[in-house]
Structures are given as C-alpha cells and as structure tokens.
Amino acid sequence: MEERNVTIRSQKIEKDFTKQKVLLFGMMVGCLLLVAAFAPHLTPYDPYIQDLENSLKPPSANHLMGTDLYGRDMFSRVIMGSQTTIFATLFLVAIVSVVGSAIGVLCGYHGGRLDSILMRFSDVFLSFPGMVFAIAVASVMRGGLISAIIALSCISWPKYARIARSQVMMIKNTTYIAAAKLAGSSTGKIIFKHVLPNIVSTIIITAVLDIGTMMMEIAGLSFLGLGASPPVAEWGSMMSNGRSMIQTAPWTIMGTGLAIFLTVMVFNLFGDAVRDVLDPRQKKGKW
C-alpha cells in the first residue's frame, strides 16, 4: 500500500512538473509572438533607413548590436526580422499540417485508387533529398519568401499525410466507427466527429516539433538567396548579408545568429513539453 502511494505521489509530481514546463515554455513562445506581432513599435530605430556615417559601428549604448554596412541598427533589424521569420514559419507549418493531414485522412479512410495515386505522388517528393528539392523548386520560381514557403511545402506535406493515414487506418475499422456507420452517419460526420479527434493530438505534436526545423529551413533558403530578399529584414537574409564581414565586423551576424538559436530552442522545448502532455507514453522511451 505504501509503495502504491509513493508511485501515485511520484506520478503527480511528474504531472505537475510537465504542466509547469508547458506553462514556462508557452510563456516564452508567447513573448516571442508578441515581439514579432508588435515589432514595428518595438524597434528603437527605423530598420530600413540607411545611415552611412554610422556604417559598421560596433555594439554600444546607442546601438546594442552595432550597425550593418549601411548604418542600419542591427538590434532594430533583428526585432523586425522576428516578424518575417516567425510568422512565415507558422504559416508554413499551418499549410503543410492542414493539407498533409487532409490528404492522409482521405487516403486512410477511403483507400482504393485514391490512396494509391496520392501515396505514390508523395513517394515522388520523398525520393529526393528534402532541402535539395526545395532549393531546386525555389530556384525555378526565382526566389522570394513565397517561393521558399511553396518549395518547403512540397517536401513537408508527405510526412503529415503518412502520419494521418496510418492513424486513420488503425481506427477506421474499430467498433465505434462501425456503429456510427450503422447509425446512418455520413462520411463527413464520421471523419469530423470520430476520426479527427483521435488523430489531432498526433498532428499537433508533429506540427509544434516541426516549427524549429521549418524556421531553420526558411532561414537556410534565405541565406542562399532563395528566400526573402534585401532589404526585407529576415534572419536568414541578414546572416547572408553579414557573412562577408564575419572577421571584420562579427556583430553583423552574431545578433541574428543568437536570435535564431534562442527562438528555435524555445520552440523545440515547447514542442517537447506539449508532447509530454498530449502523449505521455512517449516520455518512457525519450531518454
């Protein structure tokens, strides 16, 4: 009896700790989103106005992260860049998770020829190295942030489609689905009332954990000149602009690199905490 009480107590402590992690990292994510949303009002200087007299000034009280080659305040550009990078990433994740999951649900539930055609179509995208294929697509579209989002969508939706498909195939033959069919429920009602609620947690976990990866990929395409183009403040493009001055003026990329690192880390930690809450079974094998 005492051993059982100890077990229950330890489980309660672990559950409370998990909730605290979600709250802590959720607040950090919320702060990042607020900074991104109100970026134009938080910048101490205009991030786009050039001031060649203050070109490549090192960090100081007036310019916390120094200035770039055109005299623009790096701190202001990093803050403004958060709006472009974070919201572009969230938009990308939303697109691939919704479209990929919808395709997976249709394939898993109906099966047959539709399943064969769409899954073979996804195999085409999965047969190429992801970033290489994204670079090729973005190059054909001649760059730009929208082109980068489309290119990354092409390589990312098959994962969500296959996850959703596998989940649906496991539950479509269960007794409660059969009972819903016998009760005369339409296909749409069965999917929205019985199928989606059982797979949505898996999709959410995958999407939240993908935010950091997608952010790095968007920044990577911009770094290569295939994403956001200057003078737009976007972290990957800013890293690319400052790479030639890494020895003479390292502050032109250090602030941006630190912003990418911290933002990706916060979203990854938040995703890990969300996974612990929505799917506690995965915690046992996490270590």
Side-chain angles (χ1 to χ4, degrees), residues 3 77-78 90 100 147 185 259 274-275:
E3 183 178 350
R77 287 185 63 77
V78 167
L90 295 179
S147 299
S185 298
V274 169
R275 178 180 60 184

Side-chain angles (χ1 to χ4, degrees), residues 200-223:
V200 68
S201 60
T202 303
I203 301 302
I204 291 175
I205 292 170
T206 306
V208 175
L209 288 172
D210 262 356
I211 292 176
T213 302
M214 298 289 189
M215 188 175 298
M216 293 291 291
E217 291 177 348
I218 287 179
L221 288 179
S222 296
F223 183 85

Side-chain angles (χ1 to χ4, degrees), residues 103-120:
I103 293 174
V105 169
L106 290 176
C107 291
Y109 189 80
H110 291 289
R113 182 173 297 179
L114 177 67
D115 181 33
S116 299
I117 294 174
L118 291 177
M119 286 301 101
R120 298 299 76 75

Side-chain angles (χ1 to χ4, degrees), residues 239-273:
M239 290 283 289
S240 179
N241 293 338
R243 62 180 174 176
S244 61
M245 297 170 284
I246 189 171
Q247 294 182 334
T248 57
W251 58 85
T252 55
I253 66 170
M254 288 180 62
T256 310
L258 181 62
I260 294 175
F261 170 76
L262 292 177
T263 304
V264 170
M265 182 182 68
V266 168
F267 274 106
N268 284 343
L269 291 172
F270 178 65
D272 192 56

Side-chain angles (χ1 to χ4, degrees), residues 27-286:
M27 290 175 61
M28 291 182 180
V29 169
C31 289
L32 289 173
L33 295 178
L34 286 175
V35 169
F38 296 100
H41 306 287
L42 299 177
T43 54
Y45 299 91
D46 190 313
Y48 296 111
I49 290 183
Q50 300 182 13
D51 183 9
L52 298 180
E53 292 183 359
N54 289 315
S55 174
L56 297 179
K57 293 290 184 180
S60 62
N62 293 328
H63 301 282
L64 297 179
M65 292 183 179
T67 62
D68 64 5
L69 182 63
Y70 302 101
R72 297 172 297 193
D73 181 60
M74 287 301 301
F75 182 65
S76 299
R77 287 185 63 77
V78 167
I79 292 177
M80 183 59 70
S82 68
Q83 187 175 76
T84 306
T85 304
I86 292 177
F87 287 153
T89 302
L90 295 179
F91 181 61
L92 170 61
V93 172
I95 288 177
V96 296
S97 59
V98 171
V99 174
S101 299
I103 293 174
V105 169
L106 290 176
C107 291
Y109 189 80
H110 291 289
R113 182 173 297 179
L114 177 67
D115 181 33
S116 299
I117 294 174
L118 291 177
M119 286 301 101
R120 298 299 76 75
F121 192 60
S122 70
D123 289 339
V124 174
F125 290 98
L126 293 173
S127 62
F128 295 95
M131 278 303 292
V132 174
F133 186 72
I135 290 172
V137 173
S139 299
V140 170
M141 300 182 68
R142 299 185 178 181
L145 190 57
I146 299 299
S147 299
I149 291 175
I150 294 174
L152 292 172
S153 299
C154 290
I155 66 171
S156 302
W157 72 266
K159 176 173 70 173
Y160 289 89
R162 290 189 173 276
I163 291 174
R165 176 178 178 270
S166 64
Q167 294 284 312
V168 172
M169 292 183 70
M170 287 191 297
I171 66 175
K172 72 175 184 178
N173 294 321
T174 54
T175 54
Y176 62 88
I177 297 294
K181 291 179 180 179
L182 290 174
S185 298
S186 63
T187 299
K189 184 176 180 180
I190 292 174
I191 289 176
F192 283 99
K193 187 175 180 180
H194 300 289
V195 175
L196 289 181
N198 286 284
I199 69 170
V200 68
S201 60
T202 303
I203 301 302
I204 291 175
I205 292 170
T206 306
V208 175
L209 288 172
D210 262 356
I211 292 176
T213 302
M214 298 289 189
M215 188 175 298
M216 293 291 291
E217 291 177 348
I218 287 179
L221 288 179
S222 296
F223 183 85
L224 296 174
L226 300 173
S229 303
V232 175
E234 193 277 333
W235 289 343
S237 178
M238 291 164 60
M239 290 283 289
S240 179
N241 293 338
R243 62 180 174 176
S244 61
M245 297 170 284
I246 189 171
Q247 294 182 334
T248 57
W251 58 85
T252 55
I253 66 170
M254 288 180 62
T256 310
L258 181 62
I260 294 175
F261 170 76
L262 292 177
T263 304
V264 170
M265 182 182 68
V266 168
F267 274 106
N268 284 343
L269 291 172
F270 178 65
D272 192 56
V274 169
R275 178 180 60 184
D276 290 346
V277 171
L278 296 182
D279 193 1
R281 295 171 299 177
Q282 294 193 17
K283 292 195 296 182
K284 296 180 180 180
K286 189 166 63 174

